[in-house]
Amino acid sequence: MNLKQLSEHLGLSQTTVSRALNGYPEVSEKTRLRVQQAARQLNYSPNTRAKSLATGRTHAIGHVLPISASHEMVNPVFGDFIAGAGATYSDHGYEIVISLVKDQDEAEAYRSLHARGSVDGIIVHGPRMRDPRIPLLRELGLPFVVHGRASDEPDPYSWLDINNQRAFERATEFLLDLGHRRIALVNGLEFMDFAYRRRLGFEKALSERGLRADPALMRSEEMTEIFGYRSAREMLASDQPPTAFLVSSMITAIGIRRAIHEAGLEMGRDVSVITHDDDLGYLKNGHSVPIFTATRSSVRVAGERAAAMLLDCIRDPGCVPKTQLMEAELIIGASTGPAL
């Protein structure tokens, strides 16, 4: 079935059907849904080349991922984010272009995508405190949305983030209310914006109770299982071990649980653990009762929303930067209890 046949079936002009399928704002929501439903039922698939020529768009979104020795972006969290973003792209007739590049080639990859006209927009992953990609993409004129924020970027830009500082402040307050005073922070790399904000929340909660963070109980590294295991094993063997851990990743928390078990202790009774849970499809935090007490925010939902924000910016090139801050829930699980 072609566009003309679909239009005749619906009793609408080809222009209206095309605009509905491409998400133009001047088409009503009722008409857009009607057209999309008919297109699915009749297996209508637009000719991508003809569509690009007609609209001046590629109907593709770029995701550039650096292959880094210090921070690996090709990870399970990225997979769930792409699943969410991909569902939004698919609903609006867009495809994904993923480029894996070396750290030093990342800027050139953006320039190449722009020069070749390969994509209509970009999602930026893993922002750092002052991220050079933001001014570069602004200079190139490519619409973009940042998944996260860059704290030291002075000019406005579009981003979607979770409230990392408040999430870890609240988690620390919860542990303090349980009587814990020696709380370890096992964080991500703190040149990454999310990890920097989580440390701020941890330190703020302690400070408001008249306490100071102990550097001996703070670790910052790539968020792997072995990092969690080694960090916890070392701290639990010290003269003044922590009674609780606040952790930036479920994967790292699994390593901490392993170290607690090897030390002959019981998680939730002898040592408490709170982690961050991205609500991953493949790695659920228990069933009826969560394994870990956690600050939870779905990265899949973040992918859906960031993709929708970017498509809005593509449809309206003159739009002002959009921002969205998602709050994390505090989920009570079996990994926390009163300080002994």
Side-chain angles (χ1 to χ4, degrees):
M1 171 169 284
N2 57 33
L3 180 64
K4 180 180 178 182
Q5 291 169 326
L6 179 61
S7 301
E8 290 173 348
H9 172 80
L10 290 164
L12 299 170
S13 71
Q14 292 185 47
T15 299
T16 298
V17 171
S18 177
R19 288 181 177 275
L21 291 171
N22 290 305
Y24 283 84
E26 56 265 36
V27 178
S28 71
E29 182 68 7
K30 181 179 178 181
T31 299
R32 184 179 69 81
L33 292 173
R34 179 181 166 223
V35 170
Q36 288 179 343
Q37 182 180 14
R40 285 194 295 269
Q41 290 174 343
L42 298 171
N43 295 318
Y44 169 73
S45 180
N47 181 288
T48 303
R49 180 170 175 77
K51 186 176 178 181
S52 297
L53 290 171
T55 63
R57 295 176 182 165
T58 64
H59 289 88
I61 302 298
H63 294 258
V64 177
L65 303 179
I67 301 172
S68 172
S70 62
H71 182 64
E72 184 58 70
M73 281 305 306
V74 184
N75 58 36
V77 173
F78 173 75
D80 257 44
F81 182 91
I82 282 293
T88 300
Y89 298 151
S90 178
D91 286 346
H92 293 84
Y94 277 76
E95 297 179 344
I96 302 173
V97 175
I98 297 178
S99 302
L100 300 178
V101 300
K102 295 178 181 178
D103 273 350
Q104 63 270 25
D105 298 332
E106 189 175 2
E108 184 55 38
Y110 287 115
R111 292 190 180 95
S112 178
L113 286 171
H114 176 255
R116 291 185 283 113
S118 303
V119 298
D120 294 329
I122 294 284
I123 297 282
V124 177
H125 297 276
R128 305 187 177 203
M129 301 298 295
R130 180 176 288 276
D131 201 306
R133 294 172 295 179
I134 294 173
L136 171 62
L137 289 168
R138 192 183 287 122
E139 175 190 332
L140 294 173
L142 267 174
F144 69 94
V145 170
V146 179
H147 178 211
R149 282 177 284 176
S151 294
D152 294 338
E153 171 56 42
D155 296 319
Y157 58 95
S158 293
W159 54 262
L160 177 141
D161 198 8
I162 63 170
N163 195 342
N164 285 292
Q165 180 171 340
R166 179 56 191 147
F168 269 47
E169 182 182 352
R170 188 179 177 196
T172 306
E173 290 169 346
F174 181 76
L175 290 171
L176 291 168
D177 288 343
L178 288 172
H180 295 280
R181 293 299 179 266
R182 289 191 59 75
I183 303 171
L185 175 66
V186 183
N187 204 3
L189 293 161
E190 290 182 356
F191 60 77
M192 308 296 292
D193 193 272
F194 79 90
Y196 167 75
R197 290 178 185 274
R198 290 177 184 179
R199 177 167 59 80
L200 288 183
F202 170 70
E203 292 175 337
K204 182 173 184 287
L206 290 176
S207 176
E208 289 181 349
R209 302 287 182 97
L211 301 170
R212 294 182 63 184
D214 183 350
L217 298 181
M218 299 174 74
R219 300 290 187 277
S220 170
E221 200 173 299
E222 183 76 6
M223 297 183 298
T224 61
E225 192 273 350
I226 194 64
F227 164 54
Y229 170 74
R230 288 173 177 166
S231 297
R233 184 179 63 177
E234 177 186 336
M235 286 188 273
L236 289 171
S238 69
D239 293 337
Q240 292 184 297
T243 62
F245 289 86
L246 180 55
V247 193
S248 266
S249 164
M250 276 269 288
I251 296 170
T252 307
I254 290 170
I256 289 173
R257 180 175 65 172
R258 178 160 68 100
I260 291 171
H261 177 74
E262 282 191 8
L265 303 170
E266 183 178 331
M267 184 175 73
R269 184 193 68 187
D270 304 307
V271 182
S272 289
V273 178
I274 298 183
T275 188
H276 180 71
D277 177 11
D278 292 293
D279 196 21
L280 301 177
Y282 85 104
L283 184 62
K284 289 297 183 183
N285 184 8
H287 299 287
S288 56
V289 177
I291 297 168
F292 292 102
T293 296
T295 56
R296 176 177 292 174
S297 181
S298 170
V299 73
R300 186 177 293 247
V301 170
E304 294 171 357
R305 294 182 181 180
M309 288 172 64
L310 179 57
L311 296 182
D312 284 345
C313 292
I314 290 168
R315 285 191 289 266
D316 180 13
C319 73
V320 297
K322 302 173 180 291
T323 63
Q324 186 174 155
L325 186 63
M326 298 170 61
E327 295 294 337
E329 299 178 86
L330 181 62
I331 305 298
I332 310 303
S335 66
T336 49
L340 297 178

